[in-house]
Amino acid sequence: MQIKTRIALQFSCIVVTILVTFSLVIYFTSATYRQEEFYDRLKSKALTTVRYLLEVNEIDEDLLRIIDENSLTALINEKVLIFDEQNRLIYSSAGDEVVTYPKGILNEVREEKDIETVYNDMELAGFLYEEQHRSVVVLAMAYDRFGKSKLRNLRNTLGWGLLVGLSVTVGLGIFFAGQSLRPISKINEQISTITARNLRNRLDEGNRQDEIAQLAINFNQVLQRLEQAFEQQHSFVSHASHELRTPLAALKSEIQIGLRQQYSADEYREILDNLMSDTDRLISLTNNLLFLARTLENISQMPLENVRVEDVLFLAKEELTSAKPNFQIDIDYENLPEAETETMVRGNEELLKRVVLNLFDNACKYSKDHRAEVRIRTDERMCTVTVKDTGIGISKKDQESIFQPFYRASNAVGYEGFGVGLSICRKIVELHQGMISVSSRLHQGSCFTIRIPHL
Ligand code: ADP
């Protein structure tokens, strides 16, 4: 069932229940009130009659009948019967006309003293009237034509009102439900046109305020992230193939040279050395690609531990300087940490070392003096590490892009590298709830900053 129909149905059910309950209460209250009022009228009239009969000596039976005939309303067919102790009829307002009444009612009245019942569609009130030495039974009955016709009128009005109310409610329910769900249908239509090929399409965000607009806004944000991810993946694949092609082409031409003619053993050794360094380049590149593609996806399963930042820095320094002894790394505190925990972070030592290694390597690689100045700074929340060099620097424009995979600034072309290191660094730092940034001036040097929350 469509939501629209369900809402309309639920809405109608609620309104119908309220309307029906309300109408029933009104009808039955009016019916009870009519009956009670009618019994009261019957009794008070009968009481007057019996008093005239028994207490006013000047009024005899015939005079009383004349009074009754003139005061009882013929329309409602009212009759008053009075019976003595032996249940003999001593007075009937109907004169000689035979008036029937329920069998046994006289004894019942004597027992219960007061009775209200319905007989032949007429209201019948009976009561025991006791006066000094006499106790007579008085029966009064009549048909409440006016009351009943008013009640019938009320029933019809309520019935029709209910029917009209119900149709209006169902109609309005369907209309308003459709109206308020129309934006959802519109969103549905728009979503069904979005495929991997046109992720650029966006949903109409309407008034940007209600829940449905919020849904469209959130969906658009998801689309934007998807589009970015798709684009990144696309550029990643094209960059990766481009980067792989260069060393492969170099390998091929080396081999072609080797095959072209006979060489001396030394010349073959030189060719093999070249092949070796190109193969190393390929291995290093594929390792980086694998790391980007696979390891970072499963990173949430990496073991986390408390890592001391200084340890990571010194380990990375040792590893780098033993591989490249001409690199020089100077590590120091900018301020002395107030507590040991200020330089402890929750993370993975191997991954953090990879970040630091890349920053050290870049700083030394891109500067003539091959020197990096590393400083540790802490505050109540964050542990900050800056890696500064006085190298070639990065232009403002390039600073925005160097964290993208495979991006290399034009002034870095003569230097070894594939342009994937910083993108790996950024992912790792973000996974540690930290951030990485750069400030740099061309030909003057660069300063990379990592900020990670400490324990
Ligand atoms: P790679 O150094 O292998 O090219 P990275 O991802 O580490 O890759 O760096 C991306 C780019 O950022 C580099 O190609 C270079 O243009 C620029 N870069 C990074 N670090 C520095 C630095 N310390 N000085 C100047 N440029 C840098």
Side-chain angles (χ1 to χ4, degrees):
M1 190 191 282
Q2 281 190 326
I3 296 185
K4 183 173 84 175
T5 327
R6 202 161 58 214
I7 292 178
L9 262 179
Q10 283 171 347
F11 177 61
S12 309
C13 280
I14 294 172
V15 176
V16 166
T17 317
I18 295 172
L19 278 183
V20 169
T21 320
F22 197 64
S23 307
L24 286 180
V25 169
I26 290 182
Y27 181 76
F28 284 109
T29 320
S30 308
T32 319
Y33 179 72
R34 178 208 62 84
Q35 208 170 37
E36 276 170 7
E37 196 190 36
F38 196 66
Y39 281 132
D40 285 350
R41 267 184 61 197
L42 276 179
K43 279 185 201 162
S44 84
K45 184 69 197 61
L47 200 63
T48 316
T49 306
V50 76
R51 274 199 193 126
Y52 278 154
L53 185 71
L54 300 184
E55 288 171 23
V56 185
N57 293 333
E58 292 77 13
I59 299 180
D60 66 358
E61 208 177 308
D62 291 330
L63 181 58
L64 186 56
R65 199 164 294 123
I66 293 169
I67 296 174
D68 270 351
E69 272 165 13
N70 284 292
S71 62
L72 297 179
T73 334
L75 267 177
I76 54 171
N77 198 15
E78 187 173 355
K79 284 162 194 125
V80 178
L81 306 176
I82 303 174
F83 299 87
D84 67 5
E85 288 82 350
Q86 280 77 44
N87 287 352
R88 281 183 310 230
L89 182 67
I90 54 169
Y91 173 76
S92 164
S93 65
D96 296 337
E97 190 191 322
V98 179
V99 181
T100 57
Y101 50 88
K103 242 173 101 195
I105 191 146
L106 299 178
N107 292 334
E108 227 173 289
V109 173
R110 281 187 203 288
E111 257 168 45
E112 291 183 23
K113 298 212 166 27
D114 199 348
I115 274 187
E116 290 170 352
T117 180
V118 176
Y119 175 67
N120 280 349
D121 212 18
M122 293 198 285
E123 264 82 23
L124 187 155
F127 60 90
L128 194 65
Y129 182 80
E130 285 171 320
E131 183 252 358
Q132 291 169 11
H133 51 280
R134 302 193 69 177
S135 93
V136 296
V137 173
V138 184
L139 294 185
M141 60 186 109
Y143 180 71
D144 185 8
R145 187 177 298 165
F146 292 130
K148 284 190 177 162
S149 110
K150 268 197 226 160
L151 207 60
R152 242 190 328 273
N153 232 352
L154 178 68
R155 196 175 52 210
N156 289 344
T157 313
L158 288 175
W160 281 111
L162 203 68
L163 217 65
V164 173
L166 179 65
S167 342
V168 171
T169 308
V170 172
L172 287 183
I174 292 175
F175 175 73
F176 283 120
Q179 194 83 339
S180 41
L181 291 178
R182 186 169 304 155
I184 291 198
S185 318
K186 237 164 79 188
I187 286 183
N188 251 340
E189 277 166 28
Q190 290 172 6
I191 289 179
S192 60
T193 62
I194 295 174
T195 62
R197 279 177 203 289
N198 59 2
L199 280 176
R200 234 162 247 271
N201 285 4
R202 292 290 179 269
L203 304 183
D204 179 11
E205 293 177 357
N207 61 7
R208 294 187 58 87
Q209 265 157 20
D210 58 28
E211 291 84 348
I212 294 171
Q214 206 54 49
L215 178 76
I217 292 172
N218 288 342
F219 194 83
N220 280 347
Q221 282 166 357
V222 172
L223 274 182
Q224 187 164 354
R225 287 198 290 271
L226 267 180
E227 190 191 342
Q228 268 172 7
F230 260 66
E231 265 171 19
Q232 267 176 19
Q233 205 167 23
H234 189 248
S235 79
F236 181 86
V237 172
S238 61
H239 277 113
S241 16
H242 179 78
E243 289 294 329
L244 282 170
R245 211 167 45 194
T246 318
L248 281 175
L251 274 180
K252 190 177 172 186
S253 60
E254 302 278 349
I255 295 169
Q256 278 171 338
I257 291 171
L259 289 176
R260 202 173 293 155
Q261 61 186 72
Q262 279 290 333
Y263 290 102
S264 65
D266 281 348
E267 283 168 331
Y268 274 124
R269 173 164 290 281
E270 198 183 325
I271 291 173
L272 283 176
D273 274 346
N274 285 341
L275 284 177
M276 186 67 168
S277 74
D278 283 338
T279 318
D280 279 346
R281 214 176 120 77
L282 256 180
I283 291 172
S284 150
L285 175 60
T286 38
N287 280 345
N288 273 313
L289 289 181
L290 260 182
F291 187 86
L292 255 183
R294 199 184 292 157
T295 327
L296 286 178
E297 269 160 30
N298 304 329
I299 207 131
S300 48
Q301 288 138 32
M302 292 261 174
L304 290 183
E305 60 212 330
N306 291 346
V307 182
R308 183 170 290 287
V309 173
E310 299 93 319
D311 293 350
V312 177
L313 296 178
F314 283 106
L315 276 175
K317 170 182 171 171
E318 214 173 288
E319 201 172 309
L320 188 66
T321 48
S322 60
K324 300 175 180 173
N326 57 331
F327 283 8
Q328 203 188 327
I329 295 154
D330 165 33
I331 304 175
D332 205 349
Y333 289 103
E334 206 167 282
N335 67 312
L336 271 182
E338 290 188 0
E340 263 195 15
T341 51
E342 285 198 353
T343 53
M344 293 271 266
V345 298
R346 188 94 192 131
N348 182 285
E349 194 175 72
E350 265 313 301
L351 293 179
L352 287 173
K353 197 176 81 187
R354 200 180 172 107
V355 175
V356 174
L357 256 177
N358 193 75
L359 294 183
F360 288 180
D361 189 39
N362 281 352
C364 300
K365 182 168 74 179
Y366 293 113
S367 51
K368 266 200 200 111
D369 58 0
H370 303 306
R371 213 177 144 263
E373 194 181 289
V374 183
R375 291 291 173 266
I376 309 167
R377 197 172 63 234
T378 58
D379 57 31
E380 325 72 81
R381 233 167 59 73
M382 300 297 234
C383 177
T384 309
V385 174
T386 51
V387 181
K388 210 163 140 189
D389 65 66
T390 49
I392 58 171
I394 309 163
S395 70
K396 263 261 159 310
K397 190 176 132 283
D398 288 332
Q399 284 173 31
E400 288 161 20
S401 315
I402 51 171
F403 294 99
Q404 302 292 336
F406 298 106
Y407 189 89
R408 303 201 74 205
S410 50
N411 60 347
V413 172
Y415 298 83
E416 225 180 73
F418 316 109
V420 288
L422 283 182
S423 62
I424 294 179
C425 289
R426 187 167 72 172
K427 282 198 176 166
I428 296 177
V429 172
E430 281 173 358
L431 284 163
H432 285 79
Q433 271 83 49
M435 49 208 142
I436 182 166
S437 58
V438 62
S439 70
S440 177
R441 294 187 88 171
L442 263 183
H443 315 297
Q444 290 189 17
S446 315
C447 178
F448 283 83
T449 307
I450 317 170
R451 282 161 63 75
I452 297 181
H454 60 66
L455 291 185

